[in-house]
Amino acid sequence: GAGVSQSPSNKVTEKGKDVELRCDPISGHTALYWYRQSLGQGLEFLIYFQGNSAPDKSGLPSDRFSAERTGGSVSTLTIQRTQQEDSAVYLCASTRRGAAQGDTQYFGPGTRLTVL
Amino acid sequence: DAKTTQPPSMDCAEGRAANLPCNHSTISGNEYVYWYRQIHSQGPQYIIHGLKNNETNEMASLIITEDRKSSTLILPHATLRDTAVYYCIVRASNDYKLSFGAGTTVTVRA
């Protein structure tokens, strides 16, 4: 079946502009995760959604970052007033059940964000 | 806080088995060993995971030592498309904030 999809695949923006990144999880997966991966920085957890529960936003680096998950499926990560240090690959993953179940996370292809 | 240690790089001949080692000497009893790989400019791809027993799937085999302090990922017949960075991680079942170390850059050569 279809995997996790993300759009756009690449995004170039100017410093100070807002961007929206989209994630479509695997059909039927109830949990969704956002990460970012910077060159030399490894994988950094951002936020976790599970059903109707309050999301775990503990990884969001600043209040310029926010995310929504509508209808328990598609998620949008919004970065306001982008800065050059926001440049990274933003990855989305999903699991069939909630995080406490320990299911394997399956990743999407990522969105490469470049802030000029 | 590196829970795993992997060699930074290794080369492998196409068609041969690739054996990727990982040390996790401080692994806890409730932690699984997971392997992901990341081909250039793509998202991480799940390969395999295990707790105590050896595991095999269509992609690879995972051999975990009896003391669980190390493991080996085996790609039975490496192809050029297996060239990637391979990440070994340990995680408890409820630990959902994944993090990768530097991994092993595997280059498969014709």
Side-chain angles (χ1 to χ4, degrees):
Chain A
V4 177
S5 60
Q6 293 185 244
S7 61
S9 55
N10 280 285
K11 177 71 177 179
V12 180
T13 191
E14 293 179 347
K15 178 182 173 182
K17 296 287 181 77
D18 298 352
V19 295
E20 282 190 355
L21 312 179
R22 176 188 168 108
C23 172
D24 224 317
I26 293 172
S27 178
H29 278 202
T30 62
L32 186 148
Y33 313 75
W34 281 99
Y35 294 86
R36 72 177 176 182
Q37 191 174 33
S38 307
L39 193 62
Q41 296 297 318
L43 196 65
E44 178 185 4
F45 166 81
L46 296 177
I47 188 169
Y48 156 64
F49 292 94
Q50 166 56 30
N52 295 321
S53 302
D56 176 357
K57 304 180 182 180
S58 61
L60 295 179
S62 78
D63 57 9
R64 296 186 295 104
F65 288 71
S66 63
E68 289 185 340
R69 189 176 184 200
T70 55
S73 181
V74 171
S75 176
T76 303
L77 177 69
T78 301
I79 308 173
Q80 296 179 308
R81 305 180 302 282
T82 52
Q83 303 295 312
Q84 289 182 330
E85 61 263 28
D86 299 334
S87 295
V89 176
Y90 288 81
L91 293 162
C92 177
S94 70
T95 55
R96 188 168 58 87
R97 299 175 298 174
Q101 309 304 321
D103 289 351
T104 298
Q105 293 184 29
Y106 294 92
F107 285 84
T111 294
R112 181 174 298 276
L113 175 67
T114 303
V115 181
L116 301 177
Chain B
D1 182 20
K3 289 188 172 183
T4 64
T5 304
Q6 299 177 252
S9 64
M10 63 184 296
D11 284 2
C12 176
E14 187 179 22
R16 305 293 293 270
N19 298 304
L20 283 62
C22 180
N23 287 323
H24 31 79
S25 58
T26 61
I27 192 169
S28 301
N30 66 338
E31 288 182 318
Y32 290 76
V33 179
Y34 271 76
W35 284 83
Y36 282 83
R37 73 180 182 183
Q38 195 163 17
I39 296 168
H40 182 61
S41 296
Q42 297 184 23
Q45 178 187 22
Y46 164 77
I47 301 174
I48 198 167
H49 74 281
L51 183 63
K52 294 181 183 179
N53 299 323
N54 298 337
E55 302 288 344
T56 295
N57 63 20
E58 65 278 5
M59 288 183 68
S61 294
L62 175 60
I63 308 299
I64 303 174
T65 57
E66 193 169 343
D67 63 8
R68 302 185 69 238
K69 292 185 177 182
S70 66
S71 60
T72 301
L73 178 75
I74 301 173
L75 307 178
H77 305 286
T79 71
L80 299 179
R81 289 175 296 178
D82 292 323
T83 292
V85 180
Y86 286 76
Y87 298 102
C88 167
I89 63 173
V90 295
R91 57 169 289 223
S93 59
N94 61 352
D95 179 11
Y96 56 88
K97 299 178 184 179
L98 299 187
S99 64
F100 294 160
T104 297
T105 298
V106 173
T107 302
V108 181
R109 302 191 187 279

